[in-house]
Amino acid sequence: MQATLNICLNMSMALARENPYGIELVEHDGFFYQPRSLKDVMNMKTQFKARKDDVFVCSGMKTGTTWLKAIVASIMSESKSHVLKEKGVHDLVYNIERSYISRSMPNANTSTIIAEMPSPRLLSTHLPYSALPPQITSLGCRMIYIARNPKDTFVSHWKYLPALQAVFNTETTAPVSKEVFFDSFCNGASLFGPFVDHVLSFWNPSRRQSNILFLTYEDMKADSLSHVKKISDFLGQSSLTEEDIRYIDSQCSFQSLSTLDVNKNGKTTYKNANVNNRSFYRKGEVGDWKNHFTPEMSSRINLVVENKFQEAGLFLKYEL
Ligand code: PAP
């Protein structure tokens, strides 16, 4: 097994390249990873044991993961949204590919915590569907995917790059030019990208499989209450009252989450860096791209995504 893993990684490493925006990327099975993270992914795939009743929050980068994690954690917790006051959202819902670290790291023991968690476990992943540990798909674990329009996703990702560079200890600390990152993003070379392929990797199976709930950030912003209800129905949480649903919805709003002390002043440990929890809460709006995009950028994104999404019957909103 180890030999296969090494060959696989060596082949992938041949494609590793220093990205102009400062984060080294490596392509593996059609998706881009930071090279050390790919080792962690491979490590996780050999160690992680899925359970049939596991629930996964699934997403690409910067598409509303934090919000969705807060909602699902509240729905699945007996104390409802009170859990959100105790820990940062990313310490409440562990990301599997960051938890099976392939070397000694401060958060390396998260894998043990995950193995010992009572069922049903709530976990998360940024991996595309095709890269998930096969047990997750063969057992039919429930997955909730959140997609976001690529223009707002791009802006959110670009604004988050300084935090990412700290996580990956990149030598580039200078602000990353929007144009340079935009070019990479449109070419598919961003973490867990290509963006379009990631979204379609969940969208396509979600159309025929009832264990995948596909949501969009924009629809959730337009009517968050009905989405909290939809998620709770998907999870079979019939004991929640209408009042519970309303409470969870209001406690998970951007305004409420971003002003909690743990999110204003707390930190989450990733790899060997601390990320300020406040970096997960920037604006929380649909349409901020209009403040950052030129007409040319807008046309280029439309060209990259729209045909593929339309062919697949997927229509994302760019404003509300
Ligand atoms: P991640 O990939 O690092 O986990 P993720 O949580 O997916 O990030 O996305 C962050 C975006 O969700 C940010 O968007 P922005 O940069 O355009 O502002 C963040 O503000 C937004 N966000 C976080 N919490 C909420 C919330 N409760 N409601 C709406 N948007 C939110």
Side-chain angles (χ1 to χ4, degrees):
M1 175 64 87
Q2 189 59 38
T4 318
L5 180 62
N6 284 341
I7 292 166
C8 179
L9 281 173
N10 288 341
M11 282 167 59
S12 302
M13 291 309 170
L15 300 169
R17 61 179 191 225
E18 184 64 40
N19 229 18
Y21 65 90
I23 292 173
E24 195 183 1
L25 292 178
V26 57
E27 190 185 339
H28 179 71
D29 283 347
F31 287 91
F32 284 93
Y33 303 83
Q34 199 271 344
R36 276 190 341 222
S37 299
L38 180 58
K39 284 190 183 170
D40 296 342
V41 169
M42 296 303 186
N43 197 38
M44 181 273 288
K45 280 186 165 189
T46 60
Q47 290 186 38
F48 178 71
K49 301 267 177 293
R51 301 179 200 157
K52 192 171 169 36
D53 57 2
D54 284 342
V55 174
F56 290 88
V57 164
C58 306
S59 58
M61 293 281 299
K62 313 315 290 180
T63 58
T65 322
T66 311
W67 186 18
L68 183 58
K69 278 184 176 184
I71 293 172
V72 184
S74 303
I75 288 174
M76 289 177 66
S77 154
E78 277 172 19
S79 68
K80 309 291 174 287
S81 304
H82 293 297
V83 284
L84 302 174
K85 297 182 183 131
E86 293 155 19
K87 283 183 182 175
V89 171
H90 299 285
D91 278 334
L92 266 181
V93 184
Y94 290 125
N95 171 296
I96 49 171
E97 62 272 14
R98 287 194 190 122
S99 301
Y100 292 76
I101 309 285
S102 51
R103 60 210 166 275
S104 177
M105 288 294 213
N107 59 346
N109 67 348
T110 316
S111 55
T112 315
I113 301 175
I114 289 178
E116 291 171 358
M117 275 166 74
S119 292
R121 299 181 298 186
L122 171 59
L123 299 164
S124 81
T125 182
H126 274 321
L127 294 178
Y129 187 81
S130 54
L132 292 174
Q135 267 191 338
I136 295 180
T137 48
S138 62
L139 286 172
C141 298
R142 282 168 296 179
M143 296 173 238
I144 309 173
Y145 185 82
I146 182 162
R148 188 182 194 185
N149 81 58
K151 297 178 187 176
D152 282 321
T153 301
F154 166 79
V155 172
S156 186
H157 200 155
W158 172 53
K159 294 279 184 186
Y160 186 67
L161 283 178
L164 268 183
Q165 289 174 337
V167 167
F168 294 125
N169 284 329
T170 59
E171 286 170 13
T172 311
T173 48
V176 178
S177 128
K178 183 170 63 183
E179 290 70 24
V180 165
F181 183 52
F182 186 71
D183 205 43
S184 288
F185 185 84
C186 289
N187 290 332
S190 58
L191 280 177
F192 304 106
F195 171 87
V196 175
D197 298 356
H198 198 293
V199 176
L200 293 181
S201 83
F202 280 90
W203 168 250
N204 289 327
S206 78
R207 301 181 84 186
R208 31 174 211 276
Q209 289 175 217
S210 59
N211 63 319
I212 306 174
L213 178 64
F214 187 99
L215 306 173
T216 74
Y217 184 92
E218 294 75 25
D219 287 348
M220 282 178 58
K221 282 294 287 189
D223 181 359
S224 56
L225 185 65
S226 77
H227 282 80
V228 176
K229 174 85 175 88
K230 194 177 196 171
I231 296 166
S232 119
D233 289 347
F234 175 74
L235 296 173
Q237 298 282 341
S238 50
S239 64
L240 289 182
T241 63
E242 242 176 65
E243 196 188 328
D244 293 333
I245 300 279
R246 274 184 204 288
Y247 179 70
I248 291 170
D249 178 44
S250 75
Q251 296 302 300
C252 294
S253 70
F254 182 85
Q255 167 63 21
S256 175
L257 276 186
S258 62
T259 50
L260 286 177
D261 184 53
V262 70
N263 294 329
K264 280 199 300 190
N265 304 311
K267 291 177 194 296
T268 299
T269 304
Y270 281 134
K271 315 272 176 200
N272 53 352
N274 285 320
V275 178
N276 290 319
N277 289 344
R278 65 173 174 274
S279 67
F280 297 109
Y281 306 91
R282 193 182 62 90
K283 281 194 165 178
E285 291 170 2
V286 177
D288 185 40
W289 63 271
K290 291 180 189 165
N291 298 317
H292 300 278
F293 268 54
T294 61
E296 291 73 29
M297 287 169 76
S298 191
S299 312
R300 185 165 168 199
I301 285 264
N302 293 345
L303 261 179
V304 171
V305 303
E306 284 310 324
N307 270 350
K308 289 184 181 167
F309 280 171
Q310 277 172 25
E311 268 172 26
L314 177 61
F315 301 90
L316 296 178
K317 299 188 178 82
Y318 291 86
E319 58 194 331
L320 290 182

